[in-house]
Amino acid sequence: MNDLAPLLTPEGRALLDEVRDTDPAHELAVATRLRRDHPAELVSAALGQARLRQRAVAKFGAEDAARMFFTPNGVEQSTRRSVAAYRAERLRAAGVRSVADLCCGIGGDAIALARAGIRVLAVDRDPQAAAAARANAEALGLAGLIEVREADVTEVDTSGYDAVFVDPARRSSKRGRIFDPEAYSPPLSWAVRAALDASRAAALKIAPGIPHEAVPAEAEAEWISDGGDVKEAVLWFGTAPGTIRATLLPGPHTLVSRGLPDPEVRPVGRYLYEPDGAVVRSHLVAEVAEMLDGGLIDPTIAYVTTDTLTPTPYAAAYEITDRLPFNVKKLKALLREREVGVLTVKKRGSAVEPEELRRKALPKPHGTASVTVFLTRVAGAPTMLLGHPVR
């Protein structure tokens, strides 16, 4: 029931230290050598944990990942540290001092909450996940603030806590990623009821693709990106019902909906702005367009165009040099003429795959110049816009 147990022994911990930086290419030779002095099962477990720790560095940082314990699902599904810390700070600022973390997994969110000074009850029904969460609380010196309980979250009394945080499972071993919120485990409707019962506040982590019409009227909805990648959506309760916001990390930079109408469509200007994914998911492109005094290149495409450059954290700016009807041969000739060696392809509103266009238009580099090509529609017509990022 607990595959981590052998690794928590003195022998297991010493072995983990020894295999910490093992190169996967040399793993077989390392395993053969270590099995002369250690049980084969323990060596395999240590090497497996080392691989998980190496993968976890991207989410947790090298220092934490080297001390934590992971399950394969835990590495894939746990929250990135920066996002968890941002959410924990929002709860702390709201006066929350204790949280029931339901579906805690390996404890990534519980760790962030505890580091914000919040007392945590971390609950998961998976024995391995609960064991990892307990081991991680101890490894990071947070066991005094985190109580880990192996239980069904629907049967846990959370009345003694200021807030609840629910991260329902959105993957199935049989079906893979789950898109229907009512097929989450537990279902979104149950999580909403648990949130509404919380004494002070609640946060529900959900997939960023959730339809806006599925957001409960009592909730604030926030889409969060980190380094330009959309990581999650959060439904907040006890904050500002009906509010829609996009938050970009690092920062944080937060944009709040003002209910603006769709921007007008304009001819392509000197600059093209690509709104951050969190802005697009939260339907706040109009707010960015107003900020930039810009318009859309097409009523259905989330690209904003202007003739003036206005720095903003909410969109990446590109200076447009060429506008062409979609034509691979013309693009290929232009790239050869300009001695392009690096081609970046982005698309919105096009069925053409970027890699396919890159292979056909630039089969081999012609020089050192770089170009960004946007496959998109302009006033309904398939179009290629060429330009380069504005630094």
Side-chain angles (χ1 to χ4, degrees):
M1 295 296 290
N2 182 358
D3 292 340
L4 292 178
L7 296 176
L8 299 177
T9 64
E11 182 183 10
R13 291 179 184 275
L15 199 54
L16 277 173
D17 289 339
E18 187 169 352
V19 302
R20 173 177 175 174
D21 299 317
T22 299
D23 185 330
H26 303 147
E27 196 171 279
L28 180 58
V30 171
T32 301
R33 174 176 57 82
L34 292 175
R35 283 171 182 160
R36 297 170 190 156
D37 302 310
H38 304 279
E41 294 81 1
L42 182 58
V43 172
S44 296
L47 287 169
Q49 191 62 219
R51 287 195 301 271
L52 294 176
R53 286 178 168 183
Q54 290 167 5
R55 287 167 52 194
V57 169
K59 284 190 174 183
F60 291 92
E63 184 177 349
D64 280 357
R67 293 187 288 166
M68 293 174 66
F69 294 86
F70 299 96
T71 66
N73 285 341
V75 173
E76 294 297 327
Q77 299 175 20
S78 57
T79 305
R80 184 180 290 258
R81 183 175 65 179
S82 55
V83 178
Y86 164 75
R87 264 198 271 97
E89 177 55 27
R90 275 205 69 178
L91 288 168
R92 187 203 64 77
V96 170
R97 296 295 174 264
S98 60
V99 171
D101 177 4
L102 307 180
C103 308
C104 69
I106 63 165
D109 287 287
I111 290 166
L113 291 164
R115 284 176 167 168
I118 297 173
R119 179 171 59 88
V120 185
L121 170 64
V123 184
D124 203 290
R125 67 181 180 183
D126 181 343
Q128 292 187 18
R134 187 174 295 109
N136 289 334
E138 294 174 356
L140 299 179
L142 299 169
L145 283 171
I146 301 175
E147 174 194 348
V148 179
R149 189 179 302 174
E150 181 189 324
D152 185 330
V153 297
T154 64
E155 299 174 357
V156 174
D157 180 8
T158 63
S159 59
Y161 295 84
D162 294 340
V164 296
F165 171 70
V166 188
D167 181 7
R170 296 178 296 282
R171 288 181 181 271
S172 164
S173 58
K174 295 182 179 180
R175 295 189 298 168
R177 190 182 299 273
I178 297 171
F179 297 97
D180 178 7
E182 283 307 296
Y184 291 174
S185 180
L188 180 60
S189 57
W190 179 90
V192 169
R193 289 195 298 273
L196 293 173
D197 288 340
S199 62
R200 183 180 290 272
L204 311 183
K205 177 181 172 181
I206 54 176
I210 186 172
H212 280 230
E213 56 269 23
V215 175
E218 304 92 338
E220 166 198 333
E222 179 177 33
W223 279 261
I224 302 174
S225 68
D226 186 21
D229 295 328
V230 182
K231 295 302 179 184
E232 64 182 53
V234 184
L235 300 182
W236 294 92
F237 295 80
T239 53
T243 298
I244 302 292
R245 70 174 69 218
T247 295
L248 283 57
L249 303 174
H253 303 283
T254 297
L255 185 65
V256 178
S257 171
R258 293 188 287 117
L260 298 179
D262 292 340
E264 64 178 4
V265 176
R266 299 183 186 178
V268 176
R270 181 177 178 182
Y271 297 100
L272 187 76
Y273 289 84
E274 181 184 27
D276 184 271
V279 171
V280 177
R281 293 279 194 173
S282 56
H283 298 178
L284 297 183
V285 174
E287 279 71 9
V288 170
E290 183 185 72
M291 185 185 304
L292 300 172
D293 192 22
L296 300 180
I297 63 171
D298 184 278
T300 64
I301 303 296
Y303 284 138
V304 177
T305 186
T306 73
D307 284 315
T308 57
L309 181 62
T310 304
T312 174
Y314 302 109
Y318 295 81
E319 185 170 12
I320 299 303
T321 57
D322 300 89
R323 171 180 170 179
L324 305 171
F326 182 81
N327 187 302
V328 177
K329 289 184 178 180
K330 287 184 178 180
L331 177 62
K332 185 176 181 179
L334 184 61
L335 297 178
R336 184 185 302 110
E337 176 188 330
R338 297 186 181 173
E339 299 183 338
V340 171
V342 179
L343 178 63
T344 301
V345 182
K346 293 176 172 285
K347 75 164 192 171
R348 277 185 184 166
S350 173
V352 178
E353 290 301 323
E355 189 53 44
E356 177 187 354
L357 180 70
R358 188 181 297 108
R359 185 175 61 254
K360 291 180 177 179
L362 193 67
K364 59 181 179 179
H366 302 293
T368 58
S370 61
V371 168
T372 298
V373 176
F374 293 88
L375 300 176
T376 187
R377 293 195 304 271
V378 174
T383 303
M384 298 184 294
L385 301 176
L386 280 65
H388 55 81
V390 178
R391 303 299 182 186

